[in-house]
């Protein structure tokens, strides 16, 4: 929990300033200069969570220890952490589902792009040397089934999720440490947030077991999750803030290939 959450009054002030044409980066500086803690200032720039729903899926909560039945599919909890809010799951996908997703994605791979939050445009990024593609949400029965499973497991609506992304890493390819949320101080972020709001959680699903290398790493806490076919690492970040310790990356592949599917969850409907 934040030490001092954004108050309604602070949110009203932000709304007034935005109407007056102030950019979020300026508002953030003004709040910091006014003595607001970083987390409260960043929160005030985000829409408040919908009533009855927390701002991110609860992953490391007390519920669902051991083996979880998700619509007849057995998923095992292999590891839980509270900071970052993270679980490692076994058997989220069957081997057949992994192979099918790879077969559907392979012909559509292109050099991976990331969103440049200064412009809102996608561009090739040297920090990410994989090939990738996006499925539309619900594009085929397999995507629908996996989206439904993730929604049930994390208790987060299907329509709050982006379409599945598939990445292939070849030897030497990596994804340098980064945050998956959009940086609220970047000028292009408000445009990106108009569609679905912030990202609040990530599910990285391993579609194969690489021969060597390719762990998903969390440098702030020294955690390395080894990719194993069908396993997944899910982590939440209730605020777009480094204090969530959600910094993570894909370590270089040393031998063989690594295939993952990533699902990002948004705070609101993503249409
Ligand atoms: O492939 C991974 O391990 C990885 C690491 C960091 C994937 C992502 N980020 C991502 O898709 O955001
Ligand atoms: Zn990531």
């Amino acid at each position: 929990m934040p030490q001092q959450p954004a108050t309604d009054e602070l949110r009203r002030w932000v709304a007034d300033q935005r109407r007056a044409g102030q950019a979020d980066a300026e508002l953030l500086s003004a709040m910091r200069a006014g003595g607001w803690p970083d987390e409260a200032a960043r929160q005030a720039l985000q829409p408040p969570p919908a009533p009855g729903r927390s701002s991110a899926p609860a992953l490391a909560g007390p519920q669902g220890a051991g083996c979880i039945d998700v619509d007849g599919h057995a998923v095992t909890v292999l590891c839980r952490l509270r900071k970052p809010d993270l679980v490692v799951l076994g058997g989220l996908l069957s081997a057949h589902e992994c192979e099918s997703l790879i077969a559907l994605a392979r012909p559509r791979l292109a050099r991976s792009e990331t969103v440049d939050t200064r412009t809102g445009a996608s561009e090739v990024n040297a920090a990410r040397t994989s090939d990738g593609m996006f499925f539309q949400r619900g594009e085929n029965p397999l995507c629908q089934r996996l989206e439904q499973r993730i929604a049930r497991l994390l208790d987060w609506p299907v329509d709050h999720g982006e379409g599945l992304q598939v990445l292939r890493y070849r030897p030497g390819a990596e994804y340098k440490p980064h945050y998956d949320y959009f940086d609220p101080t970047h000028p292009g972020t408000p445009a990106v947030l108009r569609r679905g709001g912030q990202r609040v959680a990530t599910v990285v699903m391993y579609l194969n077991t690489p021969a060597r290398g390719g762990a998903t790493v969390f440098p702030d806490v020294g955690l390395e999750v080894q990719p194993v076919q069908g396993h997944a690492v899910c982590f939440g970040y209730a605020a777009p803030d480094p204090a969530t310790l959600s910094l993570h990356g894909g370590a270089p592949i040393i031998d063989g290939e690594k295939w993952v599917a990533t699902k990002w969850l948004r705070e609101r409907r993503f249409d």
Side-chain angles (χ1 to χ4, degrees), residues 175 178 180 248:
Y175 197 171
H178 59 275
D180 282 354
H248 66 287

Side-chain angles (χ1 to χ4, degrees), residues 119-211:
T119 61
S122 282
E123 57 172 35
V124 168
N125 182 338
R128 193 186 200 189
T129 47
S130 53
D131 301 311
M133 57 79 65
F134 272 95
F135 289 105
Q136 297 283 330
R137 197 176 58 221
E139 182 180 320
N140 56 51
L142 177 55
C143 286
Q144 285 169 16
R145 191 160 76 235
L146 297 178
E147 286 160 5
Q148 188 68 45
R149 190 175 301 158
I150 293 167
R152 288 281 167 115
L153 187 74
L154 303 183
D155 190 23
W156 208 251
V158 167
D159 67 11
H160 286 35
E162 297 181 31
L164 282 173
Q165 177 199 234
V166 173
L167 295 177
R168 175 187 61 188
Y169 302 76
R170 289 178 147 151
E174 66 179 317
Y175 197 171
K176 295 245 168 72
H178 59 275
Y179 299 98
D180 282 354
Y181 56 73
F182 302 105
D183 185 338
T185 65
H186 280 189
T189 292
V192 177
L193 298 189
R194 250 174 250 138
R195 191 176 171 213
Q198 263 294 356
R199 286 178 174 163
V200 290
T202 303
V203 184
V204 177
M205 293 162 266
Y206 304 107
L207 303 181
N208 77 327
T209 306

